[in-house]
Amino acid sequence: MSTSLLTTDARTKKRNAAEARFKAYGLGAIIVAMFALVILLTSVLGNGLSSFKQTFIALEVELPEDKLDKSGVRDLAVMSKVTTIGYAPILRNALLATLAEQGIETELSNKEISNMISKEAAATVRNRVLGNPDLVGQTVRFDVLASGRIDGFFKGRVTMESAALDNNTSPEALEIAQALADAGIMQTKFNWNFFVWPDASDQRPEAAGIGVAILGSLYMMLVVLCLALPIGVASSIYLEEFAPKNRWTDIIEVNISNLAAVPSIVFGILGLAIFINFMEFNQSSPLVGGLVLTLMTLPTIIISTRAALKSVPPSIRDAALGVGASKMQSVFHHVLPLAAPGILTGTIIGLAQALGETAPLLLIGMVAFVREYPAAFTPESGLFGEASTALPVQVYNWTQRADPGFVERASGAIITLLVFLLIMNAVAIYLRRRFERRW
Amino acid sequence: MEDMIQMDRTMSTQQDIKIEAKGVQVYYADNHAIKDVDVNIADKTVTAFIGPSGCGKSTFLRCLNRMNDTIDICRVEGKILLDGEDIYDPKVDPVQLRAKVGMVFQKPNPFPKSIYDNVAYGPKIHGLARNKADLDEIVEQSLRKAALWNEVKDRLNAPGTGMSGGQQQRLCIARAIATAPEVLLMDEPCSALDPIATAQVEELIDELRQSFSVVIVTHSMQQAARVSQKTAFFHLGNLVEFDDTDKIFTNPQDPRTESYISGRIG
Amino acid sequence: MQSLTLPLLVILGLTITGYFLAKTRALQVAGGDIRKLVSLPKQHALNTVLATAIPPLAAIVLFSLYRRLAEAEGSWLFTLVVIALAVTGFALSLIGIKTESRARTFAERWIMGLLIFASTIAIMTTVGIVFSMLFETFNFFEQYDWRDFFFSANWSPNFRGNSDLGILPLLWGTLYISFIALTFAVPIGLFAAIYLSEYASSRMRSVAKPAIEILAGIPTIVYGLFALVTVGPFLRDYFASPMGLGQSASSVMTAGLVMGIMLIPFVSSLSDDIINAVPQAMRDGSFGLGATKSETIRQVVIPAALPGIVGAILLAASRAIGETMIVVLGAGAAARLSLNPFEAMTTVTVKIVSQLTGDTDFASPETLVAFALGLTLFVITLGLNVFALFIVRKYREQYE
């Protein structure tokens, strides 16, 4: 008779220890993966959340006629000769006046005082004045942007120590900023403009926004949706329902699965060579971007559409054929509607992928600095033909700039991008749950 | 019913009892799959479990070496004693138990390894061989016992998946006996085999009786009659009747058993 | 652009008119009783729409391609032909409406044509990729010796010309980074998949699986920024610098590590599918012999799944080699053949981006080299993909 079951022998103990170790490796792997996700998200959120807030200075700005309108009759042609350089001192004086009013003493030079205000502020004020010439001669309250360094000080990015080493600001300036903030004149508040404003030059991170990028991404998604969905569904229907089982069909199938694994940058080269060099579409245009992303997204949509079509049981087709419908009618009247939720889910996931894609867009010129909101249609450049940028490319663009303020902007843009992706995926999951059918 | 248990008890004193099950209940989530089953399985005997499909015979078989542990929603109550030790005792390691109570499955399931490695797998994990020569010996003996040695001795390194169905099943039996079990559980071992392979496996089962206690689940009454000495008839999760095979087939006590063997139910 | 406006407007106008005219006419020939018609009025209408729109639109596409190839100017003749096609289709389909005409069959043929056309777009994409790169690569090799490109260990483009454009340092960087990424991602991804499919409780699975899927849904630019802003400086300050291995935040390690994170979900979801494809009977066979779970996994499940897992790893490798944004932001721009993982190196994809977004003349070898790099990258990844997909397919068939 062999050993008792109730005592664990030495070998079994050893084997159980190996078992526990193995299991621990698995758990460790999960923990590492989760940890990576947490670190990634914290890093992005930590760097980017502050971009949704911005520091503004509330200034009572006197708009002197002798400086801003030499004609004296509000002639716009004359007034627009005064550039932002002419407006900058006006803002500086307004800030100095405010300081005096608040009893804040300063030994800073005029230039250093000017540096506290964003270079963008002069343009903002100028645009307001040119839009409403009657303001000249009055004292008007403006909420102007503080400069990037001052803004960074309130967000913890700039410290007294770093300011001491910085040409663009100084500890004294930060002290004044703190005093102004205590007096309620300088305020850091929610910055809706971040989502609306276009990009700004590399001196002015505080004024940079993702308006153009969002618009460009939106245009591209429209192009992708309008092209990839019908083409993807059509080719899936053909392959799944009609294609004869022959060599040609095999080639198409292998080709699609390989296309899904081609590096995205190769699609960029394709876009550059075919759409821009050969077809002579406009560089940087959402049309070209959309076309490239369409070709990239097609395999995803085809694969998920085919899965959706496949999951509709043959009995449905038989039933339709049985009452005398043609094959085509059975597909379009019965199979396709039943597969629609699956197709839609796949399409949304494909769109989400396309929305975050960056590399191919770099090659078709979407890195260009664009400040004009692109129009959806113009007679000269056609549909979606105007130069634009896109959210992920804007992020890349900002990472290439020296001012650390742009890291915050880039992270902010990423948060926005991730929120869009989250919404799209949530919709996809909802659709799947809501309409999923088990046969 | 009361009488039957009484009868079992008296029998158990006569024969060497290997496995003793008392009041076994099995639940799959809310589904009560095995209802209060008592059975004694004798050593060096072939015991057959018969019954219509879904009657619980396979489920009960899988309780005997705790294969049901791998199913999350499965819950077992009652006592199953192997040599008087409760196999569901928390101190029992199912790994050790399964080394003593081997199992052969419905479909031949050789590992995607060579014939040699398939048979050597059990001895290797349980550390039954001291050296390579030992292992070779175990493999050879097991294959001989499974009546497979002559067919495969020249291609021990060929993949086990490349053999015929009957050979694969005998390989699985060789694999099971290589760990030197005391009990061998067989879950419809011939259901995926053709008649010739079935005959070979049945012959083998009869041989194995010399060394082990064998429990076989089968959907074929003829098979039960051919290979077993004791037969248990399961119906809807109940053990309806358990007796000598001859008796069950010639003179069943329970009307349900009679209906089944005469082909009226199941 | 202008030359297209008129024909497009004509086509649009004719299709809309055609739709309603066909419906009316079909009812007319049936004397108001649709039971007399073989095809329904709306099927006649559909046929008219398709017959009016498809031929001229196809002509526009063909003509545009021809014009690009032959560098011909758009002409009134072209406009005329397109409009003529539209009118012909329109007229013929309307005249063809009789009680016994089978408009449904005709319409379905048009639709079938469209379906077939759509399914060839994937093929055309591949052809487009290959030709666009082949063409410029030939241009490149006319100006630059192919032996120097493939075998030179020196990469130093010079916008004044006379550059060294050897691919070896770029390939080295690519492979080194991919190697680190895979060393990181394969064990973690594989173990995560094993744990989730064999050990984890359903509650754990319901948390961990979506979390890993989130990693898969994050765009690579996000990983790139993560490498640039967080991982790079961290590795420099806590590893490279103290160990005296360099002062660069961009490094092979930075890019490799972050790429590894990106690949975890890829490896784990592929392995998960593959491990689940191993039949339960195989596991039962092993458990039945008294093997522990880990013994079963290591000695039965993994060997059985090995071809599939190898395929998955190859697919992951192909992804790593073709990945762009993480290396652009995390690896650096210096072409270097070095073993120090904390040094900045560069990859094929980084150089494709930098050579094509720079200011050099398009016809210069410094720009054209990007196409040769792209073609090399395409060939390598295609080879890996075809091989991997072949293995995975064979593997699946084995258990079907």
Side-chain angles (χ1 to χ4, degrees):
Chain A
M1 201 82 276
S2 60
T3 49
S4 163
L5 277 176
L6 296 170
T7 51
T8 315
D9 61 44
R11 187 177 169 83
T12 310
K13 272 188 194 137
K14 234 170 82 186
R15 286 169 63 198
N16 284 341
E19 170 78 16
R21 266 200 310 280
F22 190 80
K23 199 172 164 186
Y25 294 149
L27 192 60
I30 301 274
I31 290 171
V32 170
M34 302 271 255
F35 183 69
L37 177 67
V38 170
I39 297 281
L40 176 66
L41 292 181
T42 350
S43 151
V44 170
L45 290 178
N47 281 316
L49 277 180
S50 56
S51 65
F52 302 135
K53 292 173 107 185
Q54 201 63 45
T55 309
F56 292 89
I57 316 172
L59 289 181
E60 299 290 335
V61 183
E62 202 183 328
L63 299 166
E65 186 174 16
D66 57 327
K67 291 267 172 48
L68 300 182
D69 183 15
K70 298 257 169 38
S71 71
V73 290
R74 308 293 178 261
D75 179 356
L76 277 176
V78 178
M79 284 172 68
S80 57
K81 288 214 175 93
V82 182
T83 61
T84 51
I85 300 169
Y87 280 84
I90 294 172
L91 283 172
R92 183 191 61 220
N93 291 341
L95 179 55
L96 281 170
T98 310
L99 288 176
E101 200 179 293
Q102 294 294 328
I104 302 170
E105 293 196 1
T106 170
E107 290 166 2
L108 291 177
S109 68
N110 277 350
K111 184 165 177 292
E112 284 170 304
I113 291 289
S114 278
N115 271 346
M116 293 182 67
I117 306 169
S118 167
K119 301 214 164 38
E120 191 71 18
T124 317
V125 174
R126 179 171 179 267
N127 288 341
R128 268 281 287 285
V129 171
L130 291 181
N132 183 6
D134 293 337
L135 292 177
V136 173
Q138 300 180 22
T139 300
V140 185
R141 201 191 126 110
F142 283 99
D143 263 1
V144 301
L145 279 173
S147 75
R149 298 302 148 99
I150 301 295
D151 180 49
F153 172 61
F154 290 111
K155 291 172 179 170
R157 190 172 66 237
V158 175
T159 59
M160 289 295 176
E161 294 78 43
S162 75
L165 306 167
D166 195 331
N167 285 332
N168 291 315
T169 190
S170 59
E172 292 78 27
L174 297 184
E175 273 161 23
I176 292 173
Q178 188 59 59
L180 282 171
D182 293 342
I185 290 169
M186 214 179 250
Q187 274 183 330
T188 307
K189 54 190 182 189
F190 185 74
N191 182 23
W192 181 246
N193 294 326
F194 176 67
F195 303 105
V196 181
W197 276 341
D199 193 7
S201 73
D202 48 5
Q203 302 291 317
R204 307 174 186 174
E206 67 277 6
I210 52 177
V212 173
I214 290 180
L215 200 58
S217 281
L218 182 73
Y219 287 169
M220 286 198 298
M221 290 306 107
L222 280 176
V223 175
V224 175
L225 187 64
C226 293
L227 290 176
L229 182 59
I231 295 176
V233 171
S235 60
S236 311
I237 289 179
Y238 177 71
L239 291 173
E240 200 57 44
E241 306 283 340
F242 295 105
K245 292 272 165 276
N246 60 19
R247 221 180 160 72
W248 176 244
T249 312
D250 263 4
I251 292 178
I252 297 183
E253 301 213 357
V254 170
N255 181 59
I256 288 172
S257 46
N258 278 316
L259 216 48
V262 167
S264 61
I265 189 147
V266 170
F267 284 93
I269 300 180
L270 169 84
L272 178 65
I274 304 280
F275 297 128
I276 294 178
N277 287 350
F278 181 66
M279 303 294 279
E280 292 174 4
F281 291 143
N282 291 344
Q283 245 198 357
S284 321
S285 65
L287 176 66
V288 175
L291 286 171
V292 169
L293 294 180
T294 298
L295 296 183
M296 279 193 58
T297 317
L298 259 185
T300 315
I301 294 187
I302 292 179
I303 289 167
S304 60
T305 303
R306 293 189 63 179
L309 291 174
K310 214 175 263 172
S311 72
V312 177
S315 59
I316 303 278
R317 296 173 181 82
D318 294 344
L321 295 177
V323 295
S326 69
K327 178 96 179 147
M328 191 75 79
Q329 284 174 321
S330 82
V331 171
F332 279 91
H333 294 171
H334 300 284
V335 180
L336 200 55
L338 288 173
I343 297 174
L344 217 56
T345 310
T347 307
I348 295 173
I349 288 170
L351 279 182
Q353 263 174 28
L355 182 60
E357 197 52 65
T358 321
L361 303 181
L362 299 181
L363 299 193
I364 57 162
M366 292 199 100
V367 262
F369 178 70
V370 182
R371 265 190 71 88
E372 301 295 323
Y373 297 99
F377 180 84
T378 59
E380 300 80 44
S381 44
L383 202 59
F384 300 126
E386 286 204 316
S388 175
T389 180
L391 261 180
V393 187
Q394 187 70 70
V395 171
Y396 169 74
N397 214 336
W398 282 339
T399 60
Q400 301 306 97
R401 297 190 189 170
D403 194 310
F406 281 108
V407 168
E408 175 204 73
R409 299 277 140 173
S411 303
I414 277 182
I415 295 173
T416 317
L417 178 65
L418 288 179
V419 168
F420 281 134
L421 293 181
L422 200 69
I423 293 171
M424 291 168 87
N425 281 300
V427 170
I429 290 170
Y430 172 78
L431 283 177
R432 193 182 306 165
R433 294 250 167 95
R434 175 79 174 69
F435 295 105
E436 191 176 51
R437 218 186 271 248
R438 296 234 174 254
W439 301 95
Chain B
M1 205 67 177
E2 199 57 32
D3 301 341
M4 224 176 68
I5 294 167
Q6 206 49 54
M7 201 170 65
D8 278 352
R9 293 267 155 80
T10 48
M11 268 177 51
S12 70
T13 51
Q14 298 160 4
Q15 250 174 314
D16 203 2
I17 293 200
K18 194 67 190 170
I19 297 178
E20 190 177 1
K22 286 187 215 155
V24 175
Q25 319 270 356
V26 181
Y27 303 86
Y28 285 114
D30 294 331
N31 180 19
H32 197 171
I34 296 284
K35 296 162 192 156
D36 197 26
V37 167
D38 300 80
V39 79
N40 289 336
I41 290 162
D43 202 6
K44 312 254 192 280
T45 317
V46 178
T47 307
F49 291 174
I50 60 168
S53 44
C55 65
K57 55 191 191 296
S58 285
T59 303
F60 185 69
L61 186 79
R62 292 169 71 94
C63 292
L64 299 183
N65 74 340
R66 292 182 61 175
M67 279 299 281
N68 285 331
D69 287 17
T70 55
I71 301 163
D72 287 337
I73 54 165
C74 183
R75 193 157 47 92
V76 179
E77 286 171 10
K79 267 191 170 17
I80 298 176
L81 308 178
L82 175 69
D83 291 331
E85 291 175 331
D86 184 5
I87 64 170
Y88 280 90
D89 190 294
K91 277 186 288 201
V92 170
D93 194 322
V95 164
Q96 259 176 302
L97 168 70
R98 288 177 200 149
K100 286 186 173 191
V101 184
M103 189 154 190
V104 175
F105 297 83
Q106 198 166 351
K107 267 195 192 160
N109 55 353
F111 302 134
K113 297 166 178 275
S114 70
I115 293 172
Y116 182 94
D117 285 339
N118 260 288
V119 182
Y121 178 77
K124 268 191 202 159
I125 56 173
H126 293 295
L128 301 182
R130 273 161 303 168
N131 50 40
K132 180 80 171 70
D134 249 13
L135 194 60
D136 288 348
E137 179 61 25
I138 293 175
V139 170
E140 185 181 337
Q141 284 312 316
S142 309
L143 284 169
R144 275 187 196 284
K145 275 190 205 153
L148 198 59
W149 175 252
N150 289 329
E151 289 162 62
V152 300
K153 64 181 174 201
D154 300 322
R155 51 180 181 124
L156 288 176
N157 288 319
T161 42
M163 305 195 297
S164 74
Q167 286 177 322
Q168 287 193 10
Q169 192 62 301
R170 277 181 285 150
L171 176 65
C172 292
I173 294 173
R175 189 176 67 186
I177 55 193
T179 53
E182 295 163 17
V183 180
L184 196 57
L185 307 178
M186 298 181 142
D187 188 359
E188 302 194 24
C190 300
S191 65
L193 304 183
D194 60 49
I196 297 173
T198 303
Q200 285 171 324
V201 171
E202 283 179 5
E203 203 176 315
L204 175 59
I205 292 171
D206 205 45
E207 299 271 319
L208 295 174
R209 183 159 62 94
Q210 313 301 324
S211 350
F212 316 105
S213 161
V214 178
V215 185
I216 176 170
V217 163
T218 173
H219 60 266
S220 146
M221 284 171 285
Q222 291 80 357
Q223 186 169 57
R226 283 194 299 265
V227 299
S228 71
Q229 288 77 50
K230 308 272 287 180
T231 296
F233 172 62
F234 284 80
H235 187 239
L236 300 174
N238 295 304
L239 175 64
V240 176
E241 197 165 343
F242 177 50
D243 213 325
D244 290 339
T245 302
D246 301 341
K247 216 165 162 193
I248 290 268
F249 281 96
T250 52
N251 185 21
Q253 302 295 305
D254 194 288
R256 285 170 294 179
T257 318
E258 195 183 355
S259 310
Y260 181 70
I261 56 176
S262 58
R264 265 174 294 174
I265 56 169
Chain C
M1 235 33 275
Q2 244 84 356
S3 61
L4 283 180
T5 319
L6 178 66
L8 283 176
L9 282 177
V10 171
I11 295 168
L12 186 69
L14 281 179
T15 44
I16 295 172
T17 339
Y19 180 81
F20 292 105
L21 271 184
K23 260 193 164 172
T24 328
R25 204 180 130 74
L27 273 177
Q28 225 169 38
V29 296
D33 181 1
I34 62 164
R35 285 174 304 176
K36 286 188 185 150
L37 288 168
V38 170
S39 293
L40 293 171
K42 69 173 183 191
Q43 289 165 340
H44 284 285
L46 181 62
N47 182 37
T48 307
V49 165
L50 293 168
T52 312
I54 295 175
L57 286 177
I60 289 179
V61 172
L62 288 177
F63 270 114
S64 319
L65 280 175
Y66 168 75
R67 246 167 45 195
R68 296 293 174 207
L69 285 171
E71 315 223 333
E73 280 303 307
S75 67
W76 57 271
L77 187 71
F78 157 67
T79 313
L80 211 66
V81 169
V82 168
I83 292 176
L85 276 172
V87 174
T88 317
F90 176 77
L92 282 181
S93 56
L94 278 180
I95 293 168
I97 297 176
K98 307 218 169 59
T99 48
E100 73 277 17
S101 54
R102 300 177 179 278
R104 204 203 65 223
T105 322
F106 291 125
E108 287 185 356
R109 277 191 202 146
W110 285 117
I111 293 175
M112 188 59 121
L114 287 180
L115 295 185
I116 293 177
F117 170 74
S119 72
T120 54
I121 285 186
I123 296 273
M124 290 195 284
T125 308
T126 309
V127 173
I129 287 174
V130 172
F131 273 89
S132 61
M133 291 196 297
L134 264 186
F135 186 66
E136 303 290 2
T137 304
F138 275 126
N139 282 347
F140 170 66
F141 285 137
E142 269 171 19
Q143 301 179 44
Y144 193 87
D145 191 354
W146 64 271
R147 277 160 296 200
D148 287 346
F149 174 69
F150 284 115
F151 302 116
S152 161
N154 197 5
W155 174 276
S156 49
N158 187 336
F159 60 90
R160 283 186 223 93
N162 220 357
S163 314
D164 283 322
L165 300 170
I167 195 175
L168 288 182
L170 311 186
L171 272 184
W172 169 247
T174 305
L175 295 180
Y176 199 178
I177 291 172
S178 306
F179 174 76
I180 289 182
L182 290 175
T183 322
F184 186 65
V186 169
I188 292 181
L190 198 56
F191 266 112
I194 288 172
Y195 189 83
L196 285 181
S197 64
E198 311 273 337
Y199 286 107
S201 65
S202 58
R203 249 189 57 204
M204 166 115 190
R205 235 194 315 267
S206 70
V207 175
K209 253 200 158 146
I212 292 179
E213 273 164 25
I214 290 178
L215 275 180
I218 291 176
T220 54
I221 178 77
V222 182
Y223 286 103
L225 188 76
F226 181 52
L228 180 77
V229 179
T230 310
V231 179
F234 174 80
L235 287 180
R236 179 195 56 204
D237 297 344
Y238 293 94
F239 291 91
S241 230
M243 293 195 295
L245 285 171
Q247 292 299 328
S248 171
S250 311
S251 70
V252 170
M253 196 49 115
T254 305
L257 211 57
V258 174
M259 201 189 278
I261 298 175
M262 179 198 81
L263 289 177
I264 290 175
F266 191 72
V267 175
S268 85
S269 76
L270 278 175
S271 320
D272 193 43
D273 290 350
I274 285 157
I275 289 171
N276 283 330
V278 175
Q280 183 61 33
M282 212 85 96
R283 273 165 251 238
D284 283 348
S286 177
F287 292 143
L289 292 171
T292 62
K293 250 184 180 177
S294 65
E295 284 161 353
T296 305
I297 293 163
R298 271 181 312 185
Q299 299 183 33
V300 176
V301 176
I302 301 238
L306 197 61
I309 292 174
V310 169
I313 293 172
L314 289 182
L315 280 180
S318 139
R319 263 223 158 167
I321 289 171
E323 172 49 43
T324 308
M325 294 322 293
I326 294 177
V327 283
V328 164
L329 292 173
R336 199 178 270 137
L337 277 165
S338 152
L339 274 175
N340 179 357
F342 289 101
E343 227 168 334
M345 280 180 225
T346 197
T347 70
V348 175
T349 48
V350 171
K351 285 304 155 192
I352 293 175
V353 172
S354 68
Q355 298 314 105
L356 284 178
T357 52
D359 294 329
T360 47
D361 174 22
F362 189 83
S364 71
E366 287 75 24
T367 304
L368 291 179
V369 69
F371 291 92
L373 291 174
L375 192 60
T376 317
L377 178 72
F378 180 70
V379 169
I380 294 175
T381 51
L382 187 73
L384 279 173
N385 293 340
V386 171
F387 188 49
L389 289 174
F390 173 77
I391 294 179
V392 172
R393 208 169 166 180
K394 275 266 163 279
Y395 166 75
R396 279 186 201 287
E397 280 166 6
Q398 182 191 336
Y399 290 122
E400 254 164 23

